[in-house]
Amino acid sequence: MRRALKMLSVRCVVTIVFLGFLSATPTSVAAEAATRQAAMIVQDFSDQVLQLVTVKDISDAEKRVRFQGLLNTYFDVPTIGRFVLGRYWRRASAAEKSRYLGVFAKITAHSFVSRFSEYDGQLPRFISASQIDDRYIIVKTEIFDPNGGSPPFQVNWRVVANKTPMKIMDVVIEGVSLSITQRAEYAGFIQQNGGRVANLNSALEKKLAELK
Amino acid sequence: MRFLHCHKLHVVLTALRRCALILVVLGAVTGCTSLSQQQSNSTSAAVYDPIEPVNRIVFAFNDAVDVVVIRPISIVYADLLPDPVKDSVRSFLRWLKSPIILANELLQGNLDAASATTERFFVKAASLGLVEAADAEQPPYRSEDFGQTLAVYNVGAGPYLVLPFIGPSNLRDLIGTVVDSIIDPLATPVTVLDPQKTAATLSVSRQVLTGVDFRGESLTQIDGLKRESLDYYATVRTIYNQQRVSEILNGEQPTGVSTQTDDQLFQSFEPTEDGVKPAQSGQPAVDN
């Protein structure tokens, strides 16, 4: 019961903060509709992740399954996978691409869920949403600790605006982009290991098995 | 990681100081400026790293030092001391850095930040720096250094460097580290007049403590990063670079051409519809 109440209050806080933020964004009608939609996607995702992180009576494996579902709903995972592979995407065969996208989705979900244990009551606060060009909207949020234990940090979300439904393309935590970081990691690995995507696939699969 | 960056290798710095330092700085700044041209085609995802094989060796050495010495000490430090004590230590270490931060804020022409740093310094002085000034009106604490100051004046990062014990850096930030150690009132003037090297010992101790505090605080994050990364070296290199860009811009969105590289990567990215679907390997994608 206490937990249910806590969850309810968490959801209320997030929603109230969000509504306040949405009503305070003066832009043209169409642009406002787009940025509002992007902000709602980020809000929905944060809200759902918060629920998943704080629920205690399900296993980590079940959390991974549910989080994978959330990722697929809110993130354009295959497009992120292509971006992350950078120039090696074009060099890969169709079979290698397909194998890569499969393991990429799993390992991304895995690395998010393995960080759930670091959660310590922080909440998102929505700062702004703005369309930076014809493709992307950046939604700025701040993660703060209501108990004042840790300093707040900025999390920006890159949302693809010219696609329906809109999906998240990147998360930037205190200036560090997850997609750019993964892209650099994979490029570094491929360069060090024979320049072949097949080797990356094998290493990702091995890593995934190790992390389980 | 940043903690390694904090470990300024005092021996190297002292030696450098003895050299014709101004010449070194001027020469290297010119070098950086010419390198920034070369860098403009590069992106922060692909950091300019011409001596990568050497850097990788030093990185492996630093990692071994971390595994054998720094990480174990950090765990003991983090476990042994209660949180309020660690908060006080962190607050004190930040307080000691105030003069360097203030000097660089002034050099960057950021008077608002400089006045906030000055105010914070005097407010904290009442507790000898042991209690963090909690004032919601003030901008949040930010670290400034001469590497950031050079960047504000459009000096390019130059080649990426991994320094023994210090960790990730680049030519510009190395120069910044040297200059900061010279303008640090707590380290340099006293060192010169101090045959016993007491001040040098104190200065190194302070840097080691900063490193241990940082490593202890980010134990799970760094361990997780190392465990999950396929190429730890490449991961640290890009994170260092992205963090530095963010610090230089004080957390703001990039506005200058030279710092829009990540945005450009996303803008130039054109996913082709080639119908490739993720492999399911006969199981649902959510089977792990």
Side-chain angles (χ1 to χ4, degrees):
Chain A
M1 184 60 195
R2 255 183 74 199
R3 191 163 68 232
L5 276 175
K6 193 179 165 195
M7 282 309 305
L8 195 66
S9 66
V10 163
R11 289 186 59 120
C12 284
V13 169
V14 172
T15 310
I16 291 165
V17 168
F18 223 103
L19 288 175
F21 149 72
L22 289 177
S23 58
T25 316
T27 36
S28 78
V29 179
E32 193 182 313
T35 50
R36 185 184 292 250
Q37 197 188 339
M40 287 307 287
I41 285 163
V42 173
Q43 180 204 7
D44 281 352
F45 179 71
S46 316
D47 208 2
Q48 302 246 16
V49 172
L50 216 56
Q51 283 185 51
L52 188 57
V53 170
T54 42
V55 69
K56 290 227 169 62
D57 45 10
I58 61 169
S59 68
D60 272 8
E62 174 65 16
K63 280 188 184 178
R64 275 199 289 277
V65 172
R66 293 196 192 174
F67 188 76
Q68 185 90 64
L70 290 180
L71 268 190
N72 290 338
T73 308
Y74 293 98
F75 284 69
D76 191 348
V77 180
T79 306
I80 298 168
R82 290 176 201 195
F83 175 79
V84 165
L85 203 53
R87 64 198 166 104
Y88 295 102
W89 177 262
R90 272 187 298 154
R91 298 189 196 174
S93 70
E96 282 171 348
K97 287 175 183 172
S98 170
R99 186 177 154 209
Y100 162 76
L101 288 181
V103 68
F104 173 77
K106 290 179 191 174
I107 209 152
T108 305
H110 206 294
S111 69
F112 269 99
V113 175
S114 69
R115 303 237 151 75
F116 281 8
S117 61
E118 291 164 26
Y119 181 75
D120 194 22
Q122 294 90 343
L123 291 172
R125 173 191 288 139
F126 292 83
I127 298 170
S128 66
S130 55
Q131 182 130 19
I132 56 162
D133 55 37
D134 55 350
R135 290 172 72 187
Y136 298 115
I137 289 171
I138 302 288
V139 179
K140 286 190 185 182
T141 65
E142 186 182 67
I143 310 295
F144 71 102
D145 184 350
N147 306 315
S150 53
F153 57 94
Q154 206 177 326
V155 177
N156 293 350
W157 310 74
R158 181 181 291 267
V159 180
V160 182
N162 62 350
K163 266 188 171 179
T164 315
M166 281 188 190
K167 293 212 176 186
I168 302 165
M169 174 82 188
D170 189 23
V171 185
V172 183
I173 301 163
E174 283 283 279
V176 178
S177 147
L178 297 187
S179 298
I180 299 273
T181 303
Q182 251 178 329
R183 186 174 161 123
E185 174 195 342
Y186 290 5
F189 178 85
I190 294 173
Q191 280 159 20
Q192 293 288 310
N193 292 274
R196 296 188 55 225
V197 174
N199 294 343
L200 174 73
N201 284 338
S202 306
L204 286 172
E205 282 159 3
K206 189 162 161 260
K207 188 62 96 179
L208 188 62
E210 276 172 24
L211 293 174
K212 274 183 193 175
Chain B
M1 312 312 305
R2 193 196 301 237
F3 83 95
L4 288 169
H5 180 62
C6 296
H7 291 162
K8 296 171 203 169
L9 192 60
H10 213 84
V11 183
V12 175
L13 300 189
T14 315
L16 273 174
R17 227 179 270 147
R18 288 203 193 102
C19 297
L21 191 90
I22 303 296
L23 285 179
V24 173
V25 170
L26 288 180
V29 170
T30 324
C32 282
T33 316
S34 62
L35 283 164
S36 66
Q37 187 66 32
Q38 197 173 342
Q39 267 214 317
S40 62
N41 296 326
S42 170
T43 65
S44 62
V47 181
Y48 178 56
D49 189 0
I51 57 159
E52 180 173 338
V54 180
N55 281 337
R56 278 189 184 266
I57 293 169
V58 181
F59 185 81
F61 168 77
N62 285 348
D63 189 37
V65 173
D66 178 55
V67 169
V68 178
V69 185
I70 299 166
R71 188 176 178 276
I73 293 175
S74 305
I75 292 173
V76 173
Y77 173 84
D79 285 350
L80 212 63
L81 296 182
D83 284 345
V85 175
K86 280 183 283 186
D87 288 348
S88 287
V89 170
R90 193 167 308 139
S91 172
F92 181 65
L93 290 167
R94 283 179 172 185
W95 187 63
L96 293 183
K97 267 195 80 183
S98 303
I100 300 179
I101 295 173
L102 175 65
N104 281 296
E105 281 165 347
L106 290 172
L107 287 170
Q108 291 171 28
N110 192 345
L111 296 180
D112 289 345
S115 98
T117 299
T118 311
E119 192 182 324
R120 189 180 277 124
F121 178 77
F122 283 112
V123 169
K124 285 177 70 170
S127 65
L128 278 177
L130 293 173
V131 179
E132 196 62 73
D135 186 353
E137 301 288 302
Q138 291 288 356
Y141 170 87
R142 270 188 202 291
S143 187
E144 293 290 347
D145 52 65
F146 197 70
Q148 294 184 49
T149 301
L150 287 174
V152 167
Y153 290 98
N154 287 327
V155 176
Y160 178 73
L161 302 170
V162 182
L163 307 171
F165 300 104
I166 299 172
S169 188
N170 54 49
L171 186 53
R172 180 193 60 211
D173 292 343
L174 171 63
I175 294 160
T177 307
V178 175
V179 172
D180 284 335
S181 79
I182 294 164
I183 59 180
D184 186 356
L186 212 71
T188 314
V190 200
T191 316
V192 176
L193 307 168
D194 179 14
Q196 303 293 322
K197 301 285 180 222
T198 326
T201 313
L202 280 176
S203 177
V204 171
S205 311
R206 173 178 59 150
Q207 282 141 19
V208 170
L209 188 56
T210 307
V212 168
D213 171 59
F214 174 77
R215 185 64 170 99
E217 194 199 4
S218 19
L219 195 68
T220 48
Q221 288 90 335
I222 294 175
D223 287 355
L225 202 67
K226 191 174 161 184
R227 188 175 58 246
E228 286 175 13
S229 179
L230 288 179
D231 188 346
Y232 186 37
Y233 173 86
T235 302
V236 170
R237 182 175 60 186
T238 185
I239 290 177
Y240 176 76
N241 197 57
Q242 292 182 65
Q243 272 188 342
R244 288 299 286 170
V245 170
S246 173
E247 283 168 359
I248 290 159
L249 297 167
N250 293 339
E252 296 300 314
Q253 285 282 95
T255 48
V257 174
S258 62
T259 52
Q260 275 185 331
T261 47
D262 288 348
D263 258 346
Q264 284 164 0
L265 265 187
F266 280 101
Q267 277 150 15
S268 60
F269 171 64
E270 292 293 342
T272 47
E273 294 300 330
D274 48 12
V276 176
K277 294 277 179 280
Q280 302 296 316
S281 44
Q283 302 160 359
V286 290
D287 65 340
N288 43 83

